[in-house]
Amino acid sequence: MGGHERFVDDAAARGLRVELADRGRAKSLEEAASNLGIEPREIVKTLVVRHPDGSFLFALIPGDRQISWPKLRRLLGVNRLSMPPADVAFDATGYERGTITPVGSTTAWPVFADESISGRISLGAGEHGRSAFVDAAQLFGSLDATVADISEPL
């Protein structure tokens, strides 16, 4: 089963209402936002982060912000976190970089969402050129996400 199909099936299983959009391939987050007719802050990036114990987690960050490593390390009580190479992220999630989403991941890693994310947002839908619109609160609830201050301005 392809990534997009996994996304759709898992969203349905979670009772997550999604609106799918074909936005075409984009060379940047700003281009993707323009293709969708939204602001970059309305796109939520899903980052795969490696925990020191060898497991992974998802960090959801608004498109106009970046992950704050000190804040996330403090929240998790660890001294080191890292972003895995693309092939390791694929093995951990079943998604290629640029399509990663916690919805439909081959492993249900813990989800940490930045507290500034709210309302109707867009995130990857498991395939290049596809996005999904969801309600942030419903998404976080369906994923049992930890919501905290984990980002900083670009």
Side-chain angles (χ1 to χ4, degrees):
M1 178 184 306
H4 183 67
E5 291 78 18
R6 276 199 332 272
F7 174 89
V8 170
D9 288 352
D10 190 35
R14 292 174 184 279
L16 183 61
R17 291 184 306 275
V18 298
E19 175 190 333
L20 299 170
D22 289 321
R23 62 166 162 70
R25 286 219 179 220
K27 293 185 172 97
S28 67
L29 185 134
E30 291 75 19
E31 184 180 346
S34 177
N35 290 352
L36 291 167
I38 61 175
E39 296 295 317
R41 66 179 162 71
E42 296 172 90
I43 291 182
V44 171
K45 303 176 282 194
T46 301
L47 306 176
V48 178
V49 177
R50 186 191 323 246
H51 191 280
D53 68 7
S55 68
F56 297 90
L57 59 100
F58 291 109
L60 304 182
I61 306 293
D64 64 344
R65 297 181 65 83
Q66 64 187 358
I67 196 167
S68 170
W69 293 106
K71 290 176 183 178
L72 187 57
R73 285 193 306 264
R74 191 169 36 255
L75 178 66
L76 295 169
V78 298
N79 293 325
R80 183 181 36 206
L81 294 167
S82 62
M83 299 270 296
D87 62 325
V88 175
F90 179 83
D91 290 344
T93 67
Y95 289 124
E96 292 179 33
R97 197 164 273 161
T99 71
I100 296 173
T101 170
V103 180
S105 173
T106 52
T107 301
W109 302 111
V111 178
F112 295 83
D114 189 68
E115 66 186 12
S116 69
I117 301 168
S118 65
R120 183 176 183 256
I121 58 167
S122 174
L123 74 160
E127 186 175 292
H128 290 289
R130 290 204 171 165
S131 294
F133 289 97
V134 300
D135 176 78
Q138 186 187 26
L139 175 68
F140 299 163
S142 75
L143 295 168
D144 195 26
T146 299
V147 179
D149 178 14
I150 60 168
S151 75
E152 60 191 21
L154 288 172

